[in-house]
Amino acid sequence: MADLMPTRGVAARPGPRHRAAAYRPPNGAGPSLVLLLIGAGAAAVLALWWTDTSSVVGLAGLLTGAGRITGLLAGYACAVLLALMARVPLIDHGIGTDRLARWHAFGGRWTISLVLAHTLLILWGYALTGRTGIVAETTTVVLNYPDMLKATVAFLLFLLTAAVSARAARRRVSYETWHHLHFATYAAVFLAFGHQLADGADFAGHPLAQAAWYALYGTVAVLVCWYRFLVPVRSARRHRLRIAEIRPEAPGVVSVHLTGDRLDALRARPGQFFRWRFLAPGLWWTASPYSLSAPADPRFLRITVKAVGRHSAAVAGLAPGTRVWAEGPYGGLTPARARAGKSLLLAGGVGITPLRALFETLPGDTALIYWAHRPQDLALRGELDAIAAARGARVRYSVSSPAGYALPLTADALTQQVPDLAERDVYLCGPPGMTDAARAALRAAGVPRHRIHHESFAF
């Protein structure tokens, strides 16, 4: 077992020759540009309130004005949140699915806060203006204002979504339950839209503002319908994916080999993933994200799945010929992120799956370090060794048991293995604890933040 823990560093050997185009750097300004556009839209929304407000007088005016501002921003934020998760390829590939998911989660908390603030501030301000109690004013608004009954249902749906998305509740419900309850936000946004135009003082009598709001929501609706619903249906009919074979790779880990038509048209890149829907009893209603564990072929795709739950465990028992829907490809953990011309891949457990495809295809000098609990848990090890031999790369394995073959995830240990670590791009995939430790070690070793490439499926 001495080959698990070589004491030498990873040699800086050149890999196979690649065209210069393979080193083309990605556009690092993408996330900043998207955030700038979102901020500009928020500023335009605030300008709408500013130009329509002549003066704010007294406490009632302050509360009502604040309610209008938070309402406008909440309506704008709903459209932005849906756009971020519409799975538009240009945005998804350029920014990364996990980063978009983090933005969506962060923005969701702010959106719920704005919805709550809008509701309380408006009702309080109206109650002071009308010299009535808050309960009486709430009853009047809900029952007598246009579209307010639908807006009240939307408000309750927003609260439901917030409740099931809270960290304490999220740990107690399955991913499938959370995912399907999350669709309530679509209904909430739809129900709240009419209220915004019918009751919003900034839209009443302002046809240009109404047209802009219709254009914003209409564009988002088209993107969501097209990329989240119509494109997957079209892809399923076009490519007709089926399971060809399921092959064991390690304890609790299997590779699913799939065949289909014109798979090159998917334009899947190494490191990307699909959301897979297996059309079998008990599985068809859930789309789970799994990375390609080998470069895509015009006739075949392969994923490698570890049994970590009821759904993933059931995949191992699927029969050849089972129909499959694949939504994607998604993600930005691809060779396009490489900037240095040499790379280090850090894999933990089943996180080897996207990195195995990258290990075969990344240009330049490439090295891989793979952590697992036991030698038998090193999935795809034979393929990794063959790739390393074919391209003159180095692969290093680290296991926790038996003792004496574990590589610590520290800056000193990584630098000892890879002396030119600070000059490399680093691709990272594994369980959360491992990736957190790896990022800290890489930063301590001098690897710039923009050269640490990581995507997580913990959406």
Side-chain angles (χ1 to χ4, degrees), residues 241-336:
L241 279 168
R242 294 178 181 273
I243 293 178
E245 179 188 7
I246 294 183
R247 183 179 303 168
E249 300 287 1
V253 179
V254 297
S255 283
V256 182
H257 299 252
L258 305 112
T259 185
D261 301 329
R262 295 181 291 175
L263 301 183
D264 52 332
L266 291 169
R267 298 182 180 179
R269 291 177 286 177
Q272 291 189 307
F273 69 95
F274 289 76
R275 287 179 170 87
W276 304 90
R277 191 181 302 274
F278 300 98
L279 304 187
L283 298 180
W284 64 267
W285 51 279
T286 299
S288 297
Y290 299 118
S291 297
L292 296 176
S293 59
D297 180 89
R299 289 288 299 169
F300 294 96
L301 299 176
R302 189 185 75 177
I303 58 176
T304 301
V305 180
K306 181 177 181 179
V308 294
R310 184 172 57 185
H311 183 276
S312 55
V315 171
L318 292 174
T322 300
R323 290 286 305 273
V324 182
W325 281 26
E327 303 173 26
Y330 299 121
L333 192 71
T334 68

Side-chain angles (χ1 to χ4, degrees), residues 148-210:
M148 274 307 304
L149 284 175
K150 290 190 293 184
T152 302
V153 175
F155 176 74
L156 296 176
L157 289 175
F158 277 127
L159 293 184
L160 173 64
T161 304
V164 298
S165 299
R167 186 170 300 175
R170 181 69 182 88
R171 290 195 294 263
R172 290 174 169 81
V173 299
S174 66
Y175 168 80
E176 292 81 8
T177 300
W178 170 85
H179 179 73
H180 288 96
L181 286 176
H182 218 65
F183 277 107
T185 55
Y186 289 113
V189 171
F190 173 77
L191 291 170
F193 179 75
H195 143 72
Q196 297 174 56
L197 296 178
D199 300 312
D202 302 288
F203 295 108
H206 296 82
L208 287 178
Q210 293 181 20

Side-chain angles (χ1 to χ4, degrees), residues 318-380:
L318 292 174
T322 300
R323 290 286 305 273
V324 182
W325 281 26
E327 303 173 26
Y330 299 121
L333 192 71
T334 68
R337 287 191 177 183
R339 303 180 183 182
K342 50 186 176 180
S343 305
L344 171 66
L345 312 181
L346 303 180
V350 78
I352 190 62
T353 53
L355 300 192
R356 181 262 179 249
L358 288 168
F359 190 44
E360 182 177 346
T361 56
L362 275 170
D365 174 23
T366 304
L368 167 67
I369 304 178
Y370 182 8
W371 283 264
H373 291 299
R374 304 167 300 170
Q376 57 265 41
D377 295 324
L378 294 165
L380 308 174

Side-chain angles (χ1 to χ4, degrees), residues 52-53 68 105 118 123 127 142 162 188 297 302 337 385 418 446 452:
D52 192 52
T53 303
R68 288 170 56 192
H118 164 68
L123 292 174
V142 171
D297 180 89
R302 189 185 75 177
R337 287 191 177 183
D385 290 338
V418 190
I452 302 174

Side-chain angles (χ1 to χ4, degrees), residues 38 75-85 104 216 220:
I38 293 173
Y76 172 71
C78 285
V80 170
L81 289 179
L82 293 182
L84 289 177
M85 300 307 289
H104 177 81
L216 172 65
V220 171

Side-chain angles (χ1 to χ4, degrees), residues 404-425:
Y405 294 95
L407 174 69
L409 247 177
T410 63
D412 289 343
L414 292 177
T415 303
Q416 182 179 7
Q417 291 298 312
V418 190
D420 60 349
L421 174 60
E423 302 172 10
R424 292 176 178 253
D425 285 289

